[in-house]
Amino acid sequence: MRVIIIGGGIMGLTLARDFHKLGYEVFIVEKEQIGRGASWVAGGMLAPQSEGLKPGKFLDFCIESRNIYKDYVKSIEIDTEIDVGYWDSGIFCPAFSEKEKEELLENLNTYKELGLRGEWIDRKELEDRYPSLGDEIIGGVLYPDDAQVDNRLLMNALVAYCKNENITHYENTEVDEIIEENGRFVAVKSKDMYIDGDLCILAAGAWSGQLSNIPVFPIKGEMAAVDVEKNDIDRVFFSSRAYLIPRKDYSRLVIGATEERVGFDEGNTVKGTLQLLNGLISTFPHMVKRKLQEVWYGYRPATPDLEPIIGESELNGLYYATGHHRNGILLAPITSKIIVDLIHRNKKSEYLSEFSYERFKS
């Protein structure tokens, strides 16, 4: 059976790998280079609790994906012999005011009622751990089960798998149209090619709304990276000012991320870069002396309720795996699992109705 996947980011490549392992003939069509796009420019946090997600199906979905993430990356590392920098260091959420403290403690108590772990750490204990700490920080919450992966290493590994297994992929190929006949998907068409298939999965990130009638749009984010040393920081710091992500090998500290609904406006801005660096310095003042490595930007695929669109479309044979907003890296394994279960095993997850495109019909 021929499966065409539109989009070569983490969703598309994870789906491609899973379907290939089941014996499907897989074709990936990517408008730029596979393994790049939003997946390449993300932070790599696996942070449903640190994000402050409210109780409900979306939180459950994120927790379930976080719980299978270690096995997901381990299997990729075994297949490719590439270390993807998974680090279950926990994530710390500092409070810069009494109001933030109240909000963090409210979230903490809610999560504890759900059986999830977390703890408050006061200012004095933080001062004992870190060489410098912003004057405004009064404490914070540690979520030990939140984690991170080096998304660029992960994308390199997924690309390597696809190439090593000779999975057909077309780069720099923009799909112009999804072709149907009698209410069923039959092919995708680009300027220079026509690819027929039995099934199609739309996983084109922020561009998905241009190919199907679903409300997916870009939210731009700017990011930066600086030099970091082991005694600077021992886990991800996630706050209202910035999130700070030390890679497991301490090759860089990733700083993110701004959020702007400005369409596909390109380039980094002075405003965005200042916001990121000020967030770093207000957390760790001594890092003002660290060297700047890189600045970059990307486009999160968002929906009106900031939750994904997953599952069947109105068109028979066309499926969605898009709109994951800030949580695309986190949700890749669980999204692929429920799509594969639906198509290959005719097994319908409870999440399919929750994240169906039909919720936006009205």
Side-chain angles (χ1 to χ4, degrees):
M1 187 168 285
R2 292 163 65 96
V3 178
I4 300 172
I5 299 171
I6 304 174
I10 191 166
M11 290 298 159
L13 295 184
T14 300
L15 284 158
R17 177 174 175 265
D18 288 348
F19 276 107
H20 176 266
K21 282 178 173 288
L22 290 169
Y24 287 71
E25 187 179 9
V26 178
F27 298 80
I28 304 166
V29 186
E30 165 57 41
K31 68 189 291 292
E32 294 177 352
Q33 183 181 352
I34 61 170
R36 296 302 191 262
S39 304
W40 183 258
V41 300
M45 291 188 300
L46 314 173
Q49 290 178 260
S50 303
E51 291 265 11
L53 299 180
K54 300 304 179 186
K57 289 293 185 183
F58 185 58
L59 174 62
D60 296 344
F61 191 55
C62 291
I63 294 294
E64 191 172 334
S65 200
R66 187 187 69 183
N67 290 345
I68 65 174
Y69 219 88
K70 184 177 284 189
D71 290 339
Y72 164 68
V73 297
K74 190 66 178 176
S75 67
I76 293 170
E77 290 176 336
I78 290 171
D79 283 348
T80 64
E81 299 183 349
I82 296 174
D83 185 333
V84 301
Y86 175 80
W87 188 11
D88 51 0
S89 63
I91 296 181
F92 180 71
C93 301
F96 284 86
S97 66
E98 288 295 334
K99 181 180 179 182
E100 287 190 357
K101 178 180 178 179
E102 290 177 13
E103 292 171 351
L104 287 171
L105 287 175
E106 183 179 345
N107 287 342
L108 175 63
N109 291 332
T110 298
Y111 291 144
K112 283 186 173 181
E113 290 173 1
L114 296 173
L116 301 172
R117 296 198 301 162
E119 64 172 315
W120 174 264
I121 300 175
D122 62 25
R123 168 85 192 194
K124 185 177 186 307
E125 187 176 346
L126 291 172
E127 289 176 342
D128 293 338
R129 293 189 188 187
Y130 302 105
S132 78
L133 200 66
D135 292 338
E136 297 172 83
I137 296 174
I138 58 178
V141 172
L142 172 64
Y143 292 114
D145 297 319
D146 279 352
Q148 68 149 299
V149 66
D150 188 326
N151 50 290
R152 294 189 178 184
L153 294 180
L154 177 56
M155 297 315 298
N156 285 341
L158 287 168
V159 169
Y161 178 86
C162 290
K163 292 183 176 180
N164 292 342
E165 296 295 324
N166 295 315
I167 294 175
T168 303
H169 57 278
Y170 301 96
E171 297 182 297
N172 303 307
T173 302
E174 187 165 358
V175 173
D176 296 321
E177 187 180 357
I178 295 172
I179 308 295
E180 64 170 290
E181 289 181 6
N182 301 318
R184 179 168 185 83
F185 164 80
V186 294
V188 298
K189 179 178 177 293
S190 73
K191 181 180 178 181
D192 300 314
M193 71 172 58
Y194 180 99
I195 312 170
D196 61 356
D198 301 293
L199 304 167
C200 179
I201 305 171
L202 180 56
W207 288 266
S208 297
Q210 298 178 359
L211 289 170
S212 187
N213 187 28
I214 50 174
V216 180
F217 55 87
I219 294 183
K220 183 182 177 182
E222 297 185 47
M223 299 185 71
V226 299
D227 288 349
V228 65
E229 298 176 1
K230 282 191 175 182
N231 66 342
D232 289 327
I233 182 172
D234 59 353
R235 55 173 48 94
V236 177
F237 270 54
F238 184 107
S239 77
S240 60
R241 307 287 178 92
Y243 50 77
L244 312 177
I245 310 168
R247 291 307 186 207
K248 190 175 183 180
D249 62 359
Y250 284 90
S251 58
R252 58 170 35 195
L253 179 75
V254 174
I255 311 166
T258 65
E259 288 199 27
E260 289 185 290
R261 190 166 173 178
V262 291
F264 291 105
D265 181 50
E266 296 184 358
N268 285 88
T269 65
V270 173
K271 176 185 175 183
T273 304
L274 282 173
Q275 180 179 325
L276 298 172
L277 297 181
N278 286 334
L280 169 64
I281 302 309
S282 64
T283 308
F284 294 116
H286 76 286
M287 294 195 70
V288 70
K289 296 181 180 180
R290 295 288 181 260
K291 291 182 179 178
L292 185 65
Q293 292 186 3
E294 182 186 358
V295 294
W296 66 94
Y297 65 95
Y299 307 107
R300 305 175 186 88
T303 65
D305 62 8
L306 303 182
E307 295 183 2
I309 298 174
I310 303 171
E312 296 171 293
S313 73
E314 288 183 305
L315 182 62
N316 192 7
L318 174 66
Y319 299 82
Y320 297 131
T322 189
H324 293 79
H325 190 223
R326 296 170 60 92
N327 292 289
I329 301 296
L330 168 65
L331 293 174
I334 191 70
T335 298
S336 184
K337 180 181 184 300
I338 67 173
I339 292 286
V340 169
D341 281 348
L342 175 64
I343 292 172
H344 185 69
R345 303 179 180 93
N346 196 29
K347 178 181 175 184
K348 291 192 175 183
S349 164
E350 61 177 320
Y351 296 120
L352 289 172
S353 59
E354 187 74 17
F355 304 126
S356 169
Y357 76 94
E358 291 186 353
R359 71 188 191 272
F360 298 118
K361 269 187 169 181
S362 60

